[in-house]
Amino acid sequence: MRAIVQVIVDAPITQPLDYLAPETSGAGDAAAPIGSLCVVPLGTRRVVGIVVGDAADSAVPQGKLRPLVASLGEIAPLSAHWLELTRFAADYYQHAWGELAVPALPPMLRKPPGPRFAAALARLRKAPAARALPARDPLALNAEQAAAEQSITAARDFACHLLFGVTGSGKTEVYLEAMAQRLTADAQAQALLLVPEIGLTPQLLARVQARFPHERVVSLHSGLAAGERTAGWLAAHEGRARIVVGTRLAVFASLPHLAIIAVDEEHDHSFKSGEGPRYSARDLAIKRAQMAGVPVVLGSATPSLESWANAQAGKYRVLRLPQRAAAGEQPAWPEVACVNIKGTRPPQGLATEVRAALAETVARGEQALVFLNRRGYAPVVACDACGWVSTCGRCAVLAAFHKTDGTLRCHHCGWQQRIPRACPTCGNQDLQAVGQGTQRIEEALADAAPGARIARIDRDSVRRKGEMEQAFDAVHAGDVDILVGTQMITKGHDFRRVSLVVVLGADARLVAHDFRAPEHLFATLVQVAGRAGRSGLASRVLVQTRYPAHPLFAALARYDYEGFAQAQLQERRAARLPPYMAQALLTVEDKGMVQALEFLAAARALAPEARMRRYDPVPMPLAQLAGVYRAQLLVEAASRSALQQSLARWLPEVRALAQTRRPRPRWQIDVDPLEI
């Protein structure tokens, strides 16, 4: 009798599927070993699957079992550790195992191979490593850095270290030295370094390559071409690459000899997936380190409140870097001041004090950075005569004005159209651009500092490949006097001549409905403030605000993260909010809001009441996106384990409910949601 193998596929199927192993294999044979990739029939299609077990018999009669189409022996089996990680992630985030595991593979390995598959793999395996960079000797660690590195290196098993250091304190050098110690101690050891965004990957990759000139270093992120990403994945999977630098998807990289994990900017929300299974790469990195019995380092100047609470509870070891690594004799933290604009309308969006500071900075031959996290020319165009405002034709949001091409654009779905010559409602031709975006501030800066060389970096100005690197190279080379941009300019960039940072538009976060808004704002302001004074220049930060007395700004001026975090955690505990409550968000997309809310109301009625609190279904903050209506239902429990048990009982009933609807609603569960 032919052996039976259990296979997971990318489909919402809760249990592995049974297939007949190839005829040449018997029970215990290695023709389709656990962890191997295979091609199997699924309905009328052929799909790639992963063998996760074998069985003596099946609930499906032997005569009806379908055989594997092929076993992809060209790829070494995935490790038991990798399978354990993906199984845990699928269970925790309430998805089928195959729905999470198969998409974690590189693109070329997710579809049935063609006749040239083996040849293509051979070419990818022979692909040259990234071009060699001049070797860089490790920087000498200061006392705090050395103590942190020694604590990490001393860990012989799993330990989670929270590397809490001011911006510019040399956290990356601590990661690299701890990785070097692991790689030196074991000739096969591998290291994983996670970063929050693609934009940070190239510069960090170059730094790692220079630090480890004799090791294969690869990057993994969604911006890579399919072949390049597959080549990097294979190099890691086969042990040829010893260091992987990547974004959140790299947490699932196959690293059979993993020895250490570092997560840079661990607080960043980019580590949380926004589509498909809503996993947190930071949380999975911690779990992966625990499963592998290796240390993990979480680095941040503003740790997430979840991480800080775990540190206060003794679950994480806090390693402090209180001083900038190369601050010289200058203050380690720039002077922070609020520019009060309450009751005023600053000309072109820039207060007089800000204009003067910009002019003085340029006159000294130093650089200024202006941060406004709103691209375009203006957030909205309005008619004063009748009150019409520009809105997206497919979403329930305002449409921003982009002056460079005279269009109205939706920054959510991409909809755009030419700006109307007159108000569509009343015919008034005097339409007004209301508010400021980076394009408008760029114009204002030209007036505020005549002759200054101004550059703008946002998603509109650096669309093509290589433009971002060129733009930042110009800043580093001193060819830019004033840099204006969105959040793209705030993270990880070592601007050596920036002595002034101006923050615009911060007030929106102060009055946002999201309970996480203060945490996000504080982290963003610390990041952008940290771009100033990195080479020892006396520096300052000016925040334009209508709320200069707000405690958040006072904490920022003192760089008192600990005091700020403690106050926030006290509020969260009193309000029974995360991390003192476990939450999940059931969202649905449907053809109408009525149908969406009806589905959630029916789902709510099915939810167990004993250990899970259920809120009423409501429209999402962005209630219509790309023509689709969206609603949400929040549930919560006193602990993660209680929430998981309730979700495990409830979601199969939600799935069955969705099957009865015509047309079927698109629903999704988000465990530990960051946006509600």
Side-chain angles (χ1 to χ4, degrees):
M1 187 170 64
R2 290 168 64 177
I4 299 171
V5 293
Q6 298 173 317
V7 178
I8 56 173
V9 296
D10 184 7
I13 302 172
T14 56
Q15 297 297 324
L17 301 174
D18 291 345
Y19 290 92
L20 293 176
E23 290 190 41
T24 54
S25 66
D29 202 310
I34 293 176
S36 63
L37 303 186
C38 60
V39 179
V40 297
L42 184 67
T44 59
R45 299 179 296 142
R46 290 184 173 184
V47 299
V48 168
I50 304 171
V51 178
V52 296
D54 50 37
D57 53 30
S58 172
V60 180
Q62 182 87 5
K64 293 186 177 181
L65 283 176
R66 303 169 78 181
L68 267 64
V69 175
S71 182
L72 304 185
E74 300 92 343
I75 309 293
L78 294 154
S79 68
H81 163 70
W82 190 90
L83 294 175
E84 182 186 15
L85 173 70
T86 55
R87 181 61 184 267
F88 168 83
D91 289 346
Y92 184 83
Y93 293 105
Q94 300 293 326
H95 278 265
W97 188 1
E99 278 186 303
L100 188 137
V102 175
L105 300 173
M108 284 183 59
L109 303 185
R110 293 184 215 151
K111 54 187 179 182
R116 299 180 181 178
F117 179 68
L121 286 181
R123 286 195 301 271
L124 292 176
R125 288 187 172 108
K126 293 178 182 177
R131 63 182 181 86
L133 296 172
R136 180 177 71 83
D137 292 332
L139 299 176
L141 302 184
N142 60 31
E144 290 87 1
Q145 289 174 306
E149 180 272 316
Q150 290 166 10
S151 178
I152 298 165
T153 302
R156 298 303 176 196
D157 202 337
F158 166 72
C160 186
H161 305 267
L162 182 60
L163 187 59
F164 171 43
V166 300
T167 56
S169 60
K171 293 184 288 294
T172 303
E173 203 61 35
V174 174
Y175 307 149
L176 298 183
E177 186 58 32
M179 289 161 55
Q181 295 294 331
R182 291 278 164 163
L183 299 186
T184 301
D186 183 346
Q188 289 187 308
Q190 295 173 299
L192 174 61
L193 175 55
L194 296 178
V195 296
E197 295 182 6
I198 292 174
L200 300 179
T201 308
Q203 62 183 20
L204 186 56
L205 183 67
R207 184 171 177 182
V208 176
Q209 287 170 334
R211 178 66 173 79
F212 298 95
H214 304 298
E215 304 292 355
R216 179 78 178 267
V217 181
V218 300
S219 64
L220 290 176
H221 57 77
S222 60
L224 297 173
E228 186 178 2
R229 184 167 153 191
T230 304
W233 187 93
L234 282 172
H237 175 61
E238 295 167 355
R240 292 179 285 114
R242 301 195 66 196
I243 302 172
V244 171
V245 179
T247 53
R248 63 173 178 257
L249 63 82
V251 75
F252 293 116
S254 176
L255 293 157
H257 307 293
L258 182 63
I260 186 171
I261 303 175
V263 183
D264 193 31
E265 308 293 358
E266 66 87 25
H267 66 276
D268 199 291
H269 282 194
S270 297
F271 284 122
K272 176 80 171 183
S273 173
E275 56 186 24
R278 304 300 205 262
Y279 66 87
S280 164
R282 179 202 62 204
D283 293 352
L284 287 180
I286 298 168
K287 187 63 180 181
R288 183 169 192 177
Q290 183 185 46
M291 289 175 168
V294 302
V296 59
V297 188
L298 310 179
S300 178
T302 54
S304 66
L305 290 182
E306 286 80 5
S307 293
W308 192 251
N310 281 328
Q312 299 304 298
K315 296 178 181 179
Y316 299 172
R317 302 176 185 176
V318 180
L319 308 175
R320 299 174 186 270
L321 300 180
Q323 303 295 327
R324 285 188 161 179
E329 297 180 358
Q330 297 294 342
W333 186 246
E335 175 190 351
V336 177
C338 288
V339 177
N340 188 357
I341 58 172
K342 185 176 182 179
T344 67
R345 181 173 291 181
Q348 295 180 290
L350 297 175
T352 302
E353 183 179 339
V354 169
R355 290 169 175 269
L358 288 166
E360 292 168 4
T361 301
V362 173
R364 291 195 303 268
E366 297 168 1
Q367 292 175 316
L369 185 154
V370 179
F371 169 66
L372 173 62
N373 203 30
R374 186 184 298 128
R375 61 191 178 99
Y377 188 82
V380 66
V381 171
C383 173
D384 288 340
C386 70
W388 172 87
V389 293
S390 58
T391 57
C392 171
R394 304 193 299 165
C395 303
V397 293
L398 299 174
F401 174 41
H402 285 246
K403 189 176 180 180
T404 52
D405 58 3
T407 60
L408 297 175
R409 294 189 201 172
C410 176
H411 292 166
H412 295 277
C413 75
W415 172 91
Q416 69 177 57
Q417 71 173 27
R418 298 289 300 177
I419 187 170
R421 295 180 179 274
C423 174
T425 301
C426 72
N428 174 29
Q429 295 185 352
D430 188 21
L431 299 179
Q432 302 294 320
V434 181
Q436 287 84 33
T438 49
Q439 292 177 6
R440 193 169 200 168
I441 292 300
E442 184 180 17
E443 283 187 2
L445 291 171
D447 292 338
R453 297 166 297 175
I454 301 168
R456 172 171 56 87
I457 297 181
D458 55 30
R459 286 177 57 191
D460 299 312
S461 66
V462 291
R463 288 183 174 182
R464 289 186 285 270
K465 186 175 182 180
E467 285 184 332
M468 183 187 300
E469 290 79 4
Q470 293 173 9
F472 281 119
D473 287 345
V475 179
H476 292 303
D479 298 332
V480 173
D481 298 316
I482 303 176
L483 173 62
V484 57
T486 57
Q487 200 146 334
M488 296 173 68
I489 67 176
T490 67
K491 303 174 185 177
H493 302 291
D494 190 19
F495 301 128
R496 308 304 295 175
R497 294 175 53 222
V498 170
S499 61
L500 173 67
V501 168
V502 175
V503 178
L504 308 176
D507 290 352
R509 288 280 187 93
L510 289 179
V511 297
H513 70 278
D514 181 6
F515 70 86
R516 287 189 170 87
E519 178 186 3
H520 299 173
L521 178 59
F522 191 84
T524 298
L525 294 181
V526 168
Q527 285 288 335
V528 69
R531 300 314 104 197
R534 296 178 74 88
S535 63
L537 289 172
S539 60
R540 58 177 174 157
V541 177
L542 298 179
V543 182
Q544 277 195 186
T545 177
R546 291 177 172 80
Y547 311 101
H550 197 286
L552 184 147
F553 295 133
L556 177 70
R558 301 190 304 269
Y559 183 54
D560 183 15
Y561 167 80
E562 296 188 49
F564 170 79
Q566 190 63 30
Q568 287 290 304
L569 286 174
Q570 288 175 354
E571 290 183 12
R572 300 257 190 109
R573 186 189 292 274
R576 296 178 61 81
L577 291 169
Y580 305 107
M581 182 68 69
Q583 294 181 331
L585 193 68
L586 180 66
T587 62
V588 64
E589 298 179 350
D590 214 322
K591 64 180 182 180
M593 183 57 70
V594 171
Q595 293 91 330
L597 293 173
E598 284 179 349
F599 172 77
L600 290 180
R604 183 184 185 277
L606 298 172
E609 300 182 34
R611 306 178 69 185
M612 189 169 72
R613 181 178 180 182
R614 309 160 302 162
Y615 289 86
D616 291 331
V618 294
M620 294 181 68
L622 181 52
Q624 184 183 8
L625 177 64
V628 176
Y629 291 88
R630 313 189 315 156
Q632 64 185 26
L633 168 63
L634 180 67
V635 296
E636 62 186 22
S639 67
R640 287 184 171 185
S641 60
L643 180 64
Q644 286 290 319
Q645 292 171 16
S646 296
L647 291 177
R649 294 196 304 270
W650 179 41
L651 293 181
E653 297 191 58
V654 174
R655 189 172 293 109
L657 174 66
Q659 296 290 330
T660 67
R661 299 272 168 153
R662 295 293 182 273
R664 290 180 187 171
R666 294 180 56 191
W667 64 277
Q668 177 70 264
I669 190 70
D670 185 357
V671 179
D672 302 332
L674 295 183
E675 296 181 0
I676 300 175

